[in-house]
Amino acid sequence: MNAAPPRYADLYPALAHCSPHPDAPGSGIAPIQVPAGTELFSENAPCRGFPLVLEGEVKVSRHSGDGRSLELYRVVPGELCLVSSACLFRSQPLSASGVATRPTTLLLIPPPVFNQWLEAPAFRNEVLGLFAERMADLTGLIDAVAFRKLDQRLAAALLGRGQDIGITHQQLADELGTVREIVTRLLRRFEREGWVELAREHIHIIDSAALRTMAAALQA
C-alpha cells in the first residue's frame, strides 16, 4: 500500500497563512498524480497554475530550435518553481518547460488563488526568497555553460551517481546543454583512457579518481 502524500503544512509551512487554504471546502484545489514523463507545462504557453510538488520531481528546461535542451533546475517536494511564479508575476508566457522525472503528486494552484496568496507576507517572502536562491543557481549554470570545458562538466556529471550508471548519452547531453554526438565522443575518449566502460544505456565507472581530477578543474 502506498504511503499517504505528505501534508501540505509539512512541506510548505507558509500555506498556513494563505487563504483559501488547499484543504478549505470549495477551494477547488486537489492533488494531481501524473506518471513519469508527463509534461506539466511547456515553453511559450500560458501558465495554467502554480505547481506545488508533494511527491516526485519536476525537471525544468529550455529548448533550442535545433532540438537541444538545457536543464535549468529541478523542483522537489517543499520547493517552488521560479519559471511559473515569474510567468504569473508578469502575465507572460512560460519561458521553459516542466516534465515529471518520476511519478509525481502535485497541487496546481489557479492563477487567481496564487495572486491571493501573495497578499500573505509569509508566502510572498517565500516566493521572493526562491528568486534569490534560483538566481544563484542559474548564475552558476551560466558560468558552467559559458566558461567551463565540456569534458570537465561531463566528468563532474558522472560522479556521485554510483559505479554503475543507467543513463543514455542523450540524457547526459540534455543535462549539459549540448548535443548527443559530442557527449558520445567525450565518453569514448574517457573509455580509451580507461576511466569508464560503455554499454547500451549504461556507463560503468572504472577510475573515479581520474574523473575527480578532471572535474576538479571546475573549481580552479
Side-chain angles (χ1 to χ4, degrees), residues 3-210:
R7 290 182 56 81
Y8 316 138
D10 295 336
L11 295 171
Y12 302 98
L15 294 190
H17 306 279
C18 295
S19 179
H21 191 271
D23 288 330
S27 69
I29 302 170
I32 301 170
Q33 295 182 330
V34 298
T38 300
E39 185 177 69
L40 299 170
F41 53 87
S42 58
E43 204 167 330
N44 297 319
C47 186
R48 295 180 298 150
F50 187 74
L52 295 179
V53 178
L54 304 180
E55 290 182 328
E57 181 184 70
V58 177
K59 180 176 71 173
V60 179
S61 309
R62 280 185 59 86
H63 301 273
S64 66
D66 60 4
R68 290 185 295 165
S69 67
L70 176 63
E71 179 179 324
L72 302 180
Y73 58 87
R74 298 196 180 204
V75 185
V76 297
E79 295 183 348
L80 303 177
C81 178
L82 173 62
V83 165
S84 297
S85 56
C87 173
L88 292 172
F89 275 139
R90 299 178 302 166
S91 298
Q92 293 184 356
L94 290 153
S95 59
S97 63
V99 176
T101 61
R102 61 188 71 166
T104 296
T105 303
L106 70 153
L107 301 177
L108 191 63
I109 310 305
V113 174
F114 176 78
N115 291 329
Q116 282 183 262
W117 285 5
L118 287 176
E119 297 175 7
F123 183 74
R124 183 171 63 249
N125 290 341
E126 190 167 331
V127 172
L128 294 177
L130 156 79
F131 273 86
E133 293 175 8
R134 290 301 191 198
M135 281 304 299
D137 293 343
L138 292 178
T139 298
L141 177 63
I142 292 169
D143 178 64
V145 171
F147 304 117
R148 295 172 180 170
K149 292 184 178 179
L150 190 58
D151 54 357
Q152 297 167 350
R153 292 170 52 218
L154 176 58
L158 294 175
L159 294 170
R161 299 174 184 257
Q163 195 168 13
D164 291 285
I165 308 170
I167 195 168
T168 67
H169 296 188
Q170 184 62 60
Q171 287 171 319
L172 281 171
D174 290 344
E175 287 187 20
L176 297 172
T178 186
V179 295
R180 178 184 55 78
E181 290 78 7
I182 292 178
V183 168
T184 297
R185 189 181 311 134
L186 289 173
L187 284 172
R188 286 175 178 165
R189 192 186 97 196
F190 289 1
E191 187 174 44
R192 289 194 302 271
E193 295 287 345
W195 300 349
V196 303
E197 184 178 28
L198 303 178
R200 182 175 177 82
E201 298 185 4
H202 181 269
I203 300 171
H204 175 68
I205 305 298
I206 298 174
D207 191 344
S208 57

